[in-house]
Amino acid sequence: MTTNTTVPTAAAAAAAPGPATARSVRGSRPVTLLAMCLGAMITFLQITATVSALTTIQRDLRVDPTTVIWIPSAYTLVVASVVLSAATLGNRYGRRRMFGAGVLAMIVGGAVVAGAPTVAWVIVGQLVAGLGGALILPNSLAILGATFTDPHRRTEVITAWAAASGIGLAIGPLIAGTLLKHYAWHSVYLSTIVLGVVTLVVAAIGVAESRPSAGRLDVPGLLLGTVAIAAAVYALIQGGRDGYTSPVVTVAWIAAAAALVAFVLVELRSDAPMLDIRLFRSASFSAVMVVAAVSLFGFTGVAILLVLFHERVQALSPLDTGWRMLVLFGAYVVVAFGAGRAIRRTGFKAPLTLGLVLGAVASFGLAAQGPTTSFGHRWALFALFGAAGGLVVAPATAAALASVAPAQAGMASGAVNAARQVGSVLGTSLLGTLLTTTMLADLPDRLAAHQVGEPTRGAVQAAVAAGVTGDQPLPDPVRAAIAEAMTSGVQAGLRINGIVFLVTAVLTLALVRNRPHQH
């Protein structure tokens, strides 16, 4: 989520309310809000439903731990790469039309995964769904901005939109768990298809079309941005298996750095940039972008760690795991709904800083859990982390818009969406990779501690590395060693998240503007 004058851009007009929306046809405000919230729900339902099904997918398709990280990361990777240009597409071809196209892509992606015979097809379906998420997020925000023109009302509506994403996160594990209890993992993605169809019907009934200007698609920016993000994420994931200085990973790091530099140069010289780099002259805006990225880095990353801990360490069913995760996501929804009104009294700095500090406290507390720790001793930390997310995710959007001039509101909303998705893909890939590498490194010592001898020890290590232990009966010592090794990986990820949250809290306290800037 300055007073400096910037080059007018197509993306800047994409979400800015006012005269630019004069060609909009009046629709129903309640129906519009409902449709946009349903769209937000779909984009985040896809994330947690996928995470909840990961263990079953890995066991059924015999996917190795490095490849399995790509299943959730493929979705968020595309969203992060395309979300800025998606706003320009809405400008050029109509926001409602692009929103509908995004929902349709989510349906198609869900159908591909639902019928996937191999992990390659699962990842393809996730990529298609990611394109849908990228089209939905910025255009739904732009439609809300065009429909609700009162600033205070718009803040509340955006907060409701952000809270709806939490509802998607919350129901994902429950739907997945219920379906997995009775059907194969393919059925999990039927929820995306059904909710997508409902959203299309609601949008057709009462959402007005708006096309403020004929924006031009920033093709060089799109390509360079996609290469930079994709290369960096590939290096993070593949580096966990091959080493972060291996030749292939080193090439990926170099490609990511070169693409990023080229992206900045191209955007500075473009008449219609995908991202106006000049926005980052505002220290407050730059800090809010970091906050937005960190918020979903932790929220999605910690959610994955906790789901895997419950399913693989404590051997709970996806449905039992879903009920436990509901405490976290439910707290997020409740707090996020109240955060919009609280901002009026407190400003941005207090909720953002408090949320980050509480998130760090919850992360460190959860990192102290062991394989046998009961949920009765952890539920308060789940609720605390969810509440922390509610204090950060929704206010970050308002803080981003308040950090720039009104004419730059559209660009700012697109940028904060992109920052969130970059954080999300880094959370799934980085914390997921840290979990895998820590577990594999710790497993030999755990097996030795439980007096598992050769050749069993070597066979277990190879099976875990290949991800093929789930359907095999394991002796108690082996099962305990694997659980302890995975717990070490979960604890490492939670500690890293706590450190990242604390550092970001200091940055927020120092740089984020507490009230909207008087331009």
Side-chain angles (χ1 to χ4, degrees):
M1 279 127 223
T2 64
T3 55
N4 295 324
T5 302
T6 60
V7 178
T9 66
T21 64
R23 282 188 281 172
S24 300
V25 178
R26 181 176 295 277
S28 168
R29 288 189 173 190
V31 174
T32 297
L33 177 58
L34 175 60
M36 299 307 105
C37 286
L38 286 173
M41 284 176 58
I42 298 174
T43 62
F44 285 88
L45 169 67
Q46 185 80 6
I47 295 173
T48 50
T50 297
V51 171
S52 299
L54 271 183
T55 299
T56 308
I57 293 173
Q58 182 179 16
R59 182 173 59 245
D60 184 45
L61 299 181
R62 297 181 174 270
V63 186
D64 65 85
T66 300
T67 303
V68 80
I69 297 299
W70 278 106
I71 294 175
S73 295
Y75 172 78
T76 48
L77 170 63
V78 177
V79 175
S81 303
V82 184
V83 69
L84 280 172
S85 284
T88 306
L89 287 173
N91 237 16
R92 187 176 182 89
Y93 300 110
R95 294 162 176 166
R96 188 183 71 166
R97 182 177 297 172
M98 289 299 101
F99 174 83
V103 175
L104 185 60
M106 292 289 300
I107 294 172
V108 172
V112 171
V113 180
T118 65
V119 68
W121 279 105
V122 172
I123 293 175
V124 168
Q126 287 285 82
L127 293 172
V128 174
L131 178 61
L135 288 168
I136 289 171
L137 287 170
N139 287 297
S140 59
L141 264 182
I143 289 170
L144 291 177
T147 305
F148 298 89
T149 55
D150 176 72
H152 292 301
R153 179 60 175 154
R154 190 187 307 124
T155 298
E156 294 174 0
V157 165
I158 290 175
T159 302
W161 176 88
S165 68
I167 296 175
L169 291 169
I171 65 175
L174 295 178
I175 293 175
T178 301
L179 291 173
L180 288 170
K181 187 175 181 179
H182 302 285
Y183 307 102
W185 61 264
H186 303 79
S187 64
V188 169
Y189 295 89
L190 296 178
S191 57
T192 299
I193 299 173
V194 172
L195 188 57
V197 171
V198 172
T199 304
L200 285 178
V201 172
V202 174
I205 292 173
V207 177
E209 181 61 280
S210 65
R211 189 183 303 169
S213 63
R216 180 166 59 87
L217 185 63
D218 179 16
V219 176
L222 170 62
L223 294 177
L224 290 170
T226 302
V227 169
I229 296 172
V233 173
Y234 174 83
L236 284 169
I237 298 176
Q238 201 66 22
R241 185 176 71 176
D242 300 338
Y244 290 103
T245 57
S246 66
V248 173
V249 175
T250 299
V251 170
W253 286 124
I254 294 172
L260 179 61
V261 171
F263 174 79
V264 171
L265 294 176
V266 166
E267 297 304 278
L268 285 173
R269 296 175 181 176
S270 174
D271 293 332
M274 184 172 73
L275 176 62
D276 191 346
I277 305 300
R278 297 170 185 84
L279 289 177
F280 291 92
R281 291 175 179 173
S282 165
S284 178
F285 180 82
S286 299
V288 171
M289 292 302 102
V290 174
V291 172
V294 166
S295 66
L296 278 203
F297 170 90
F299 207 70
T300 58
V302 168
I304 285 179
L305 294 178
L306 294 177
V307 167
L308 294 179
F309 175 82
H310 285 120
E311 292 186 2
R312 300 189 185 181
V313 176
Q314 297 194 327
L316 297 176
S317 69
L319 183 57
D320 289 336
T321 299
W323 284 115
R324 285 160 174 76
M325 295 301 294
L326 186 61
V327 174
L328 188 156
F329 296 130
Y332 167 84
V333 172
V334 171
V335 174
F337 267 118
R341 294 183 180 274
I343 291 172
R344 295 190 189 183
R345 299 189 297 272
T346 65
F348 303 113
K349 201 181 288 273
L352 291 176
T353 305
L354 178 62
L356 290 165
V357 171
L358 292 179
V361 170
S363 296
F364 290 130
L366 289 168
Q369 66 189 359
T372 59
T373 305
S374 69
F375 186 67
H377 290 90
R378 297 197 315 273
W379 72 267
L381 292 172
F382 276 54
L384 182 63
F385 190 82
L391 287 171
V392 177
V393 175
T397 299
L401 298 180
S403 297
V404 301
Q408 300 164 327
M411 181 69 74
S413 66
V416 77
N417 259 322
R420 280 204 191 103
Q421 298 308 319
V422 169
S424 181
V425 73
L426 291 179
T428 56
S429 58
L430 185 58
L431 295 184
T433 301
L434 180 62
L435 163 63
T436 299
T437 54
T438 303
M439 177 184 67
L440 294 176
D442 195 51
L443 184 57
D445 291 339
R446 299 290 181 177
L447 290 168
H450 284 275
Q451 300 180 338
V452 178
E454 293 291 357
T456 302
R457 189 187 307 176
V460 169
Q461 291 174 225
V464 171
V468 294
T469 62
D471 54 354
Q472 301 175 4
L474 299 173
D476 288 342
V478 173
R479 186 183 299 108
I482 293 175
E484 291 172 4
M486 174 159 270
T487 300
S488 296
V490 171
Q491 290 171 338
L494 289 168
R495 291 191 191 102
I496 290 297
N497 185 71
I499 293 171
V500 170
F501 269 44
L502 284 180
V503 172
T504 309
V506 174
L507 183 71
T508 301
L509 200 58
L511 297 179
V512 171
R513 183 176 293 124
N514 196 43
R515 299 285 179 181
H517 185 63
Q518 298 301 316
H519 302 284

